[in-house]
Amino acid sequence: AQSVTQLGSHVSVSEGALVLLRCNYSSSVPPYLFWYVQYPNQGLQLLLKYTTGATLVKGINGFEAEFKKSETSFHLTKPSAHMSDAAEYFCAVSEGGGGADGLTFGKGTHLIIQP
Amino acid sequence: DGGITQSPKYLFRKEGQNVTLSCEQNLNHDAMYWYRQDPGQGLRLIYYSQIVNDFQKGDIAEGYSVSREKKESFPLTVTSAQKNPTAFYLCASSIVPERAQHFGDGTRLSIL
């Protein structure tokens, strides 16, 4: 069965500093990997996704993530944090054969931006 | 603009009552999903549907029911058998081969 582990339920960085949110997954087949962002009382917005091909994936709002098969990781980074980045971030994996199964989510990381 | 509409935004349930959460999408997506979100727990899959008139149980289907009579609509009923229904419920849809899911803004269900 697939699973996702997000290290750190809360991460705090200073405005302008590097953002690093960690995600490790387990999957018996090559996975599809996703990062989502959630603002309070809202739904989830897709930041980026890895399917096949290039292992460094660029997303919206300056975020990117690198798929490392040997480390079973898909960490999310942003070079310079902005106050508007404060939100909940979720890593998710899909390995369903037909692609229509639900995603398996990590428990989320709350990103706090210090002024 | 295309998207997913969930209603109502807030819902209150009395003891022994069934309540239905609405989810409508105009993205022409085949697959639709219901997730439950609890603080610190991430999202957990309740039910999903790949095509009209067909749906499958997810990880936490007990106490819930769904229907998929139209491609655009996937309502979720929280029955009285669900003993801990207080949560944030999220509906999503996807184009199957792409797998990336698009989410509505959620319904927050509370117990009176």
Side-chain angles (χ1 to χ4, degrees):
Chain A
Q2 58 196 21
S3 66
V4 176
T5 302
Q6 291 184 238
L7 296 177
S9 60
H10 292 78
V11 170
S12 180
V13 302
S14 298
E15 190 175 17
L18 171 72
V19 174
L20 171 61
L21 303 182
R22 299 178 186 273
C23 173
N24 289 88
Y25 69 91
S26 68
S27 175
S28 58
V29 298
Y32 288 59
L33 295 160
F34 308 86
W35 275 100
Y36 285 87
V37 61
Q38 184 181 35
Y39 298 98
N41 293 312
Q42 293 186 22
L44 277 64
Q45 180 184 9
L46 180 67
L47 280 176
L48 50 80
K49 64 179 179 181
Y50 169 79
T51 54
T52 59
T55 56
L56 182 62
V57 181
K58 295 187 183 298
I60 62 172
N61 301 339
F63 285 94
E64 62 182 36
E66 186 172 11
F67 170 61
K68 292 187 176 181
K69 183 178 179 180
S70 61
E71 299 177 7
T72 61
S73 69
F74 191 56
H75 302 330
L76 182 70
T77 60
K78 181 175 181 178
S80 177
H82 191 272
M83 295 300 290
S84 62
D85 295 327
E88 191 84 14
Y89 291 81
F90 292 95
C91 182
V93 63
S94 169
E95 63 172 33
D101 299 348
L103 300 178
T104 297
F105 286 85
K107 293 187 176 182
T109 297
H110 185 62
L111 179 62
I112 301 163
I113 309 297
Q114 304 281 3
Chain B
D1 288 338
I4 299 175
T5 301
Q6 290 188 241
S7 62
K9 191 169 181 64
Y10 299 95
L11 186 59
F12 298 91
R13 195 190 89 169
K14 297 179 180 179
E15 292 289 337
Q17 184 182 44
N18 293 351
V19 292
T20 297
L21 284 60
S22 171
C23 178
E24 303 278 335
Q25 56 102 354
N26 60 4
L27 298 167
N28 199 33
H29 288 175
D30 289 311
M32 297 188 72
Y33 311 82
W34 275 104
Y35 293 91
R36 171 179 170 140
Q37 184 178 20
D38 296 282
Q41 295 298 315
L43 280 72
R44 293 179 291 170
L45 182 65
I46 305 173
Y47 269 97
Y48 64 100
S49 169
Q50 301 180 28
I51 57 173
V52 173
N53 292 323
D54 187 47
F55 48 83
Q56 285 77 41
K57 293 182 179 179
D59 300 321
I60 56 166
E62 185 174 354
Y64 301 97
S65 66
V66 294
S67 63
R68 186 86 186 277
E69 298 177 359
K70 299 186 301 181
K71 185 176 184 178
E72 302 78 19
S73 179
F74 192 42
L76 173 74
T77 297
V78 183
T79 74
S80 57
Q82 173 51 246
K83 298 306 180 186
N84 184 25
T86 297
F88 191 50
Y89 291 86
L90 288 160
C91 179
S93 69
S94 72
I95 297 173
V96 171
E98 294 185 359
R99 307 194 187 198
Q101 295 182 10
H102 301 258
F103 285 81
D105 281 340
T107 293
R108 189 167 298 279
L109 176 62
S110 302
I111 300 301
L112 285 177

